[in-house]
């Protein structure tokens, strides 16, 4: 029996196109688009872009200034659990440029980092209350869940959203001593 090369190659190419095209279509229409639509309808979300890989879901969010940030993250995780399965959720918040908020955050960073390091999370609230009393027009809010601490700094119509992981993150490479 002699196989013809052209029909075999055509059938292999057609099968590959159907298989990978079907997988791509499923990812787009059954997973990514419904999830992106659901997130874009949540309160406080002005814009969203998604990128879904087999191990991770990356969300680039543009949020309104007075968004309940921790509540939004919880809602995304709860509503997206069915669609996303066990993939890791990575959030990136579109930075709203404000020199004043950057300076305020730099000033509050040390006491907040110290509270995070010592696992004394109530000191974060105390640091933010002190920040509010010393900086006119700035409001600060902190919330926490089992994985992260969420901080929102607001100055009028501009907000800065910060996610601080409760588990220590390794930074750089340190030699073993």
């Amino acid at each position: 029996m002699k196989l013809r090369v052209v029909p075999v190659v055509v059938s292999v190419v057609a099968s590959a196109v159907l298989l990978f095209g079907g997988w791509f279509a499923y990812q787009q229409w059954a997973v990514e688009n419904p999830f992106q639509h659901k997130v874009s309808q949540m309160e406080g979300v002005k814009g969203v872009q998604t990128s879904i890989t087999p191990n991770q879901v990356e969300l680039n969010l543009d949020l309104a200034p007075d968004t309940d940030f921790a509540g939004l993250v919880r809602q995304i995780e709860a509503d997206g659990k069915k669609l996303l399965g066990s993939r890791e959720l990575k959030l990136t918040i579109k930075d709203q440029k404000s020199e004043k908020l950057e300076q305020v955050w730099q000033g509050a960073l040390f006491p907040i980092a110290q509270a995070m390091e010592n696992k004394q999370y109530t000191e974060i609230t105390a640091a933010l209350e002190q920040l509010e009393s010393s900086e006119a027009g700035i409001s600060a809010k902190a919330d926490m869940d089992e994985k992260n601490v969420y901080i929102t700094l607001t100055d009028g119509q501009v907000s800065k959203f910060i996610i601080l992981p409760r588990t220590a993150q390794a930074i750089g490479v340190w030699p073993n001593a």
Side-chain angles (χ1 to χ4, degrees):
M1 176 164 124
K2 185 174 180 180
L3 293 176
R4 288 190 241 160
V5 175
V6 173
V8 170
V9 170
V10 169
S11 65
V12 167
V13 169
S15 297
V17 166
L18 285 174
L19 177 66
F20 292 114
W23 179 79
F24 178 76
Y26 170 76
Q27 280 293 104
Q28 282 296 108
W29 292 312
V31 177
E32 195 165 336
N33 287 347
F35 182 67
Q36 185 170 345
H37 180 71
K38 184 173 272 198
V39 172
S40 69
Q41 299 299 314
M42 293 179 181
E43 187 176 340
V45 176
K46 294 192 307 186
V48 62
Q49 292 177 332
T50 59
S51 174
I52 299 178
T53 64
N55 298 325
Q56 179 177 314
V57 174
E58 185 173 339
L59 286 177
N60 293 318
L61 297 172
D62 185 12
L63 301 178
D66 290 329
T67 301
D68 176 15
F69 187 41
L72 177 67
V73 172
R74 286 186 199 102
Q75 186 179 2
I76 290 171
E77 288 175 344
D79 292 352
K81 200 61 148 174
K82 179 182 169 193
L83 288 171
L84 305 176
S86 63
R87 294 179 181 113
E88 176 189 358
L89 180 63
K90 181 180 177 196
L91 296 174
T92 305
I93 310 302
K94 182 179 176 187
D95 196 18
Q96 300 173 356
K97 301 293 182 196
S98 169
E99 190 63 35
K100 183 177 180 182
L101 284 180
E102 286 299 321
Q103 289 175 351
V104 166
W105 173 241
Q106 292 302 319
L109 191 55
F110 182 76
I112 290 173
Q114 186 176 22
M116 294 287 293
E117 182 68 26
N118 296 329
K119 297 186 184 331
Q120 296 175 340
Y121 301 110
T122 56
E123 290 182 19
I124 293 172
T125 306
L128 293 177
E129 287 172 355
Q130 182 181 11
L131 181 135
E132 283 182 319
S133 66
S134 67
E135 294 290 333
I138 299 288
S139 67
K141 179 182 171 190
D143 203 343
M144 183 172 72
D145 63 18
E146 58 278 349
K147 294 184 289 187
N148 298 312
V149 174
Y150 306 94
I151 297 175
T152 304
L153 301 175
T154 304
D155 180 22
Q157 294 299 314
V158 181
S159 290
K160 180 171 183 67
F161 301 97
I162 302 118
I163 301 174
L164 301 172
R166 288 181 57 187
T167 58
Q169 302 289 320
I171 299 174
V173 178
W174 297 96
N176 293 337

